Amino acid sequence: MIQIDHLIKEFDPGSGIRAIDDISFNVSQGEVFGFLGPNGAGKTTTIKILTTLLQPTMGEVTVAGYNVTDDPLGVRMSFGYIGQQSGVDPALTVSENMMLQGRLYHLPKKKIEERIETLLQLFDMQGRGGQWVGSLSGGLKRRLDIVTALIHEPKLLILDEPTTGLDPKSRSDLWAYLRRLNKEEGMTLFLTTHHLEEVDQLADRVGILDSGRIRVIGTPDELKDSLGHDAIHLKLTVAIDNKMLSTFREKEWFKEVIQHGEEIRLYLEKGQEYLSKVIQWLTELGLSAKSVLLARPTFDDVYLKYTGKNWLLAGETAEDEWGNNKWAQKWKKKGDTSESESGSDWEGGGGNGEDWKKWAGQEDSTGSDEQKSKAVQTEDASANSIQSPDNEDQPWKKWGDQANTEWAASDEKGSDQKWPESDETSKADGQKDKPSGKN
Amino acid sequence: MLNFFSDTYYLFLKYLKLTWRMPMWTFFGLIQPLIWLLIYGQLFKGLSMLPKFPTKDYVQFLTPGVIIMTVLFGASWSGVSLLRDLRHGVMEKLLVAPIIRSSIVFSRLLHNGFTVVIQVFMLVIVAALIGAGLPRGQGLFWVWVIILLLAVGFSAISNALAMFLKEEEPLVVIGNMLTLPLLFFSPALVPADFMPKWMQVASRFNPVTYGVEAVRACYEGVFVQSFWTSMGILFFFAGLSVFFAVMTFQKAE
């Protein structure tokens, strides 16, 4: 249904700054493909290329057999689109909106009326045809968005963060409708989101996008299983230095070790069996833990592994009140505005990263030379990064959490109450606002 | 081509429906021109007693000016409603639909021209009641053509600016900044002879000048060479602005 082959997008051709940096993947008929990534990762740019609003700089993109460059009209006829904002006119009624949409897809009146009836029924909106859109609740409005996007019977539905701003109940309702659409009508769904739960619930396959690159593609289960069956979250009384971290990494029990702030997450099989051994081992090392938590790895962990970011912080804080205001962005420090520079601070998965290559496809997750140089360039923002053994001697490693926290705390306010771990919040914010080295 | 007409038609119909549901906005747009006509007209009544003033009554002189002012005020805000569409994602939905892009522009311009024509129609009646008279002969026809051309021209500029700026504040500021000077650098309020030389020269580069002169000719019923020149310039102005707006939309993401 969708074929993307070595897609590259530079907003400023020749600048070398890539919003999308050589991505390739296919979505087949009837599949639900979830694209996951923080804001600025290139999700919306990909969608804009798929929907023919932007031209690719390089690479081939085909949607339903039509090439986006050669036959944009063919592409537009073949998908239904649900954008981040509603897209239905609040001053018109439900059926007026649908009628207009049908007219714009050049359907005859009779056909549109039939579709309106079928679709309203399918989405449990019978009898709402005459209702003003302005009077609908958020969830219903979103459902109407989907209904209007389906008026011309597309086989593919492209959804850009469909459940952003919905309450939990409307969100799970919407998921149910989308699932039904996929199962009963065979609809192919391509959706972007920064809600991990959403891809977990809906997607057959997930692609994790960060800084314009696909970090990994796989089924949600594949991704979760790769981390081992269990996870131990450790909070230690003292800060961990790099030497200690590599001691953890070298320990044969752990499949993967990820440091995030003052927390260390250990991934392993048979966590219950090893839990007491781990605690004993900590004592041997002269460490004591503030808290120990045994858990099943979630998508949160997968995400952390591949982007080096805590998904909550990465996803939510990037969208501050100025986020979409290009006039405000011009006032920001140089180097902060471009998508590709906004958060590349992670390098290498460490552990048994080899396994990942087969899912990642063309993407080498253990840190190619190119990636390394990128990480050095954005060194200021890298304090939050995961440190892996294969880049132990990189100079940027000396950027400590401490310095960054101080800096961020003095500059960021307001966002702290959002998340309980205010310390980490400020760090993630600071990461965004700090001038990056790539000027 | 057929699609272009049907797309334009259905979008025009939609905008018309929106105006029809909120008719007070059309009337609000009339309040300011009426204030100018009734109060400013009274305030500067004495102007017509000056030697070489072209009309006996100042209101007669002022009416064509206020008509063009209505057009200018009405049209220069049309970009704001485009931003409303942008904010609600309506525009995004239109841009990914398989429609001819320029039909978005044309439907908006047609709709704006239509609203302005209605406003001016009401204004002409009020002006007639206070003694400004009515356009004469073929002026009764041409007056609407002039208004439509200017309305389309200015709302095209406003829409293109809106698409380019994507923010309400700068659009409003620019709209405010342009409308009054455009009016003052034209013979809308005083005869051109009364202006200092440099303003007279500047006013020749202002489409509003030609609109005012053409409407004045319609009220006088005199259709000589200068009227047709004005019409030509107005056509050119409208065409150029529309072209500019269409180009902006073609490039829109």
Side-chain angles (χ1 to χ4, degrees):
Chain A
M1 202 41 124
I2 298 175
Q3 281 98 35
I4 296 187
D5 191 27
H6 293 290
L7 171 66
I8 291 172
K9 177 69 191 174
E10 292 176 2
F11 281 107
D12 193 2
S15 65
I17 300 171
R18 290 174 171 181
I20 293 179
D21 195 359
D22 196 8
I23 66 174
S24 304
F25 63 90
N26 292 331
V27 178
S28 40
Q29 177 110 34
E31 192 180 19
V32 182
F33 188 89
F35 225 23
L36 191 69
N39 284 5
K43 285 178 300 179
T44 302
T45 310
T46 312
I47 288 228
K48 280 191 169 171
I49 290 170
L50 285 175
T51 54
T52 72
L53 294 185
L54 280 178
Q55 287 286 314
T57 308
M58 259 183 269
E60 289 281 309
V61 179
T62 329
V63 177
Y66 302 97
N67 187 295
V68 291
T69 323
D70 305 336
D71 192 0
L73 275 186
V75 174
R76 287 182 199 179
M77 278 307 278
S78 59
F79 67 81
Y81 174 67
I82 291 137
Q84 286 184 29
Q85 293 113 344
S86 155
V88 286
D89 203 303
L92 297 177
T93 65
V94 168
S95 55
E96 279 170 343
N97 261 302
M98 295 176 75
M99 183 55 87
L100 177 68
Q101 184 78 3
R103 289 295 194 187
L104 296 179
Y105 281 80
H106 312 121
L107 304 175
K109 193 174 182 202
K110 194 116 191 107
K111 174 86 188 160
I112 304 174
E113 280 167 352
E114 275 171 34
R115 284 295 288 165
I116 291 178
E117 201 164 320
T118 331
L119 286 168
L120 289 185
Q121 197 152 10
L122 190 67
F123 281 78
D124 300 321
M125 290 177 73
Q126 302 101 313
R128 291 194 188 268
Q131 207 170 334
W132 280 55
V133 172
S135 69
L136 296 179
S137 70
L140 268 172
K141 214 173 182 175
R142 216 59 191 140
R143 250 191 270 170
L144 176 61
D145 282 334
I146 299 177
V147 165
T148 38
L150 291 173
I151 200 95
H152 58 292
E153 299 180 76
K155 288 270 160 282
L156 166 70
L157 206 52
I158 296 178
L159 306 103
D160 194 4
E161 298 186 8
T163 59
T164 303
L166 289 186
D167 59 88
K169 167 86 171 75
S170 318
R171 181 175 294 169
S172 56
D173 280 354
L174 203 73
W175 288 339
Y177 284 111
L178 289 175
R179 221 176 280 133
R180 210 166 101 194
L181 211 55
N182 173 251
K183 294 276 175 310
E184 288 173 19
E185 316 272 311
M187 184 76 63
T188 312
L189 303 179
F190 178 90
L191 59 105
T192 70
T193 181
H194 51 231
H195 292 292
L196 292 161
E197 208 190 336
E198 196 154 293
V199 286
D200 222 0
Q201 288 277 333
L202 283 178
D204 299 325
R205 273 194 311 149
V206 184
I208 293 184
L209 192 71
D210 188 41
S211 307
R213 284 165 168 251
I214 294 183
R215 296 292 174 201
V216 66
I217 293 180
T219 68
D221 283 338
E222 264 175 349
L223 297 183
K224 273 187 284 188
D225 288 344
S226 68
L227 281 172
H229 192 264
D230 293 306
I232 296 175
H233 299 207
L234 279 181
K235 266 197 184 129
L236 298 171
T237 45
V238 287
I240 285 269
D241 59 7
N242 299 326
K243 229 173 112 191
M244 195 56 84
L245 198 65
S246 45
T247 318
F248 274 95
R249 290 227 159 90
E250 279 152 22
K251 195 74 186 166
E252 67 284 358
W253 299 340
F254 310 126
K255 237 176 150 173
E256 177 80 72
V257 176
I258 295 177
Q259 185 195 31
H260 186 254
E262 56 176 19
E263 191 180 294
I264 288 194
R265 295 187 187 179
L266 312 167
Y267 300 93
L268 68 173
E269 306 293 344
K270 298 184 190 146
Q272 274 182 324
E273 218 171 277
Y274 279 97
L275 188 58
S276 55
K277 287 187 197 169
V278 169
I279 292 169
Q280 203 182 344
W281 184 60
L282 283 179
T283 335
E284 282 166 27
L285 289 172
L287 296 169
S288 60
K290 264 195 281 189
S291 73
V292 181
L293 178 75
L294 181 66
R296 174 97 174 90
T298 61
F299 229 97
D300 187 3
D301 298 82
V302 174
Y303 192 77
L304 183 61
K305 170 169 170 145
Y306 283 97
T307 65
K309 288 167 194 142
N310 185 317
W311 70 275
L312 276 175
L313 306 177
E316 304 292 331
T317 53
E319 199 161 31
D320 59 12
E321 59 180 312
W322 296 104
N324 293 322
N325 186 327
K326 73 169 174 177
W327 298 97
Q329 278 170 2
K330 284 191 176 153
W331 290 88
K332 278 191 183 172
K333 289 169 207 111
K334 205 181 159 196
D336 280 345
T337 47
S338 141
E339 281 201 324
S340 64
E341 291 177 54
S342 57
S344 161
D345 54 319
W346 177 72
E347 177 167 342
N352 45 3
E354 293 301 308
D355 293 357
W356 294 95
K357 285 183 179 170
K358 61 173 183 263
W359 284 309
Q362 82 286 356
E363 185 56 63
D364 181 355
S365 64
T366 45
S368 61
D369 282 345
E370 197 188 333
Q371 269 178 301
K372 262 179 194 154
S373 66
K374 205 169 176 182
V376 175
Q377 279 168 337
T378 56
E379 58 178 350
D380 298 35
S382 67
N384 209 11
S385 70
I386 293 171
Q387 296 156 350
S388 57
D390 52 351
N391 46 46
E392 196 67 76
D393 47 6
Q394 293 292 336
W396 52 274
K397 294 244 343 195
K398 67 171 184 282
W399 282 81
D401 284 340
Q402 224 82 62
N404 202 17
T405 312
E406 269 170 37
W407 184 89
S410 66
D411 215 51
E412 278 292 330
K413 20 183 181 331
S415 56
D416 287 20
Q417 62 266 54
K418 233 180 187 171
W419 308 105
E421 296 164 294
S422 61
D423 188 17
E424 290 185 2
T425 309
S426 353
K427 259 182 281 173
D429 283 352
Q431 197 177 355
K432 174 170 58 72
D433 283 337
K434 275 199 97 162
S436 89
K438 207 192 223 174
N439 281 335
Chain B
M1 203 56 195
L2 203 64
N3 281 350
F4 170 75
F5 286 117
S6 88
D7 293 344
T8 309
Y9 173 69
Y10 288 116
L11 285 173
F12 174 67
L13 226 54
K14 174 202 145 165
Y15 290 123
L16 215 55
K17 218 178 262 173
L18 294 185
T19 309
W20 184 245
R21 294 217 169 132
M22 294 177 272
M24 64 275 200
W25 294 116
T26 313
F27 293 110
F28 280 156
L30 260 182
I31 289 174
Q32 220 187 355
L34 282 177
I35 288 176
W36 281 73
L37 190 66
L38 300 175
I39 296 174
Y40 192 86
Q42 289 300 306
L43 186 64
F44 287 88
K45 216 173 162 51
L47 219 60
S48 60
M49 290 188 297
L50 290 171
K52 286 205 278 178
F53 198 84
T55 58
K56 260 195 277 164
D57 194 343
Y58 183 58
V59 169
Q60 276 176 3
F61 179 84
L62 187 63
T63 300
V66 173
I67 286 176
I68 297 303
M69 182 191 289
T70 314
V71 176
L72 198 57
F73 285 177
S76 60
W77 299 113
S78 73
V80 176
S81 80
L82 178 107
L83 291 174
R84 168 191 170 275
D85 278 6
L86 270 176
R87 204 175 38 239
H88 286 116
V90 175
M91 191 52 67
E92 200 181 19
K93 208 157 187 166
L94 285 182
L95 292 178
V96 299
I99 57 173
I100 314 280
R101 284 256 175 114
S102 50
S103 65
I104 306 175
V105 186
F106 278 95
S107 63
R108 294 189 59 86
L109 300 185
L110 272 179
H111 167 250
N112 200 256
F114 183 78
T115 356
V116 170
V117 163
I118 289 175
Q119 287 177 332
V120 171
F121 184 78
M122 291 188 273
L123 191 74
V124 164
I125 291 172
V126 175
L129 290 178
I130 59 169
L134 285 170
R136 290 179 205 179
Q138 52 176 313
L140 267 174
F141 165 73
W142 285 115
V143 101
W144 308 113
V145 178
I146 298 161
I147 286 158
L148 211 58
L149 284 175
L150 262 187
V152 164
F154 279 112
S155 53
I157 293 176
S158 177
N159 276 289
L161 272 177
M163 204 64 186
F164 173 71
L165 295 166
K166 302 224 166 107
E167 287 296 318
E168 265 159 52
E169 292 86 349
L171 184 68
V172 170
V173 168
I174 291 176
N176 259 335
M177 207 171 69
L178 285 182
T179 44
L180 273 187
L182 280 175
L183 214 58
F184 287 134
F185 279 93
S186 82
L189 307 174
V190 291
D193 301 339
F194 285 33
M195 289 193 251
K197 194 80 197 153
W198 68 274
M199 279 181 85
Q200 280 185 38
V201 174
S203 74
R204 288 292 119 195
F205 296 94
N206 181 359
V208 172
T209 302
Y210 300 97
V212 171
E213 284 178 350
V215 172
R216 213 157 263 160
C218 290
Y219 265 89
E220 286 160 5
V222 188
F223 301 98
V224 289
Q225 180 62 40
S226 65
F227 173 78
W228 302 112
T229 317
S230 297
M231 290 304 284
I233 290 172
L234 290 175
F235 262 107
F236 178 72
F237 165 69
L240 194 71
S241 320
V242 171
F243 175 75
F244 177 53
V246 169
M247 289 321 282
T248 322
F249 271 73
Q250 297 291 14
K251 280 189 286 181
E253 295 164 6

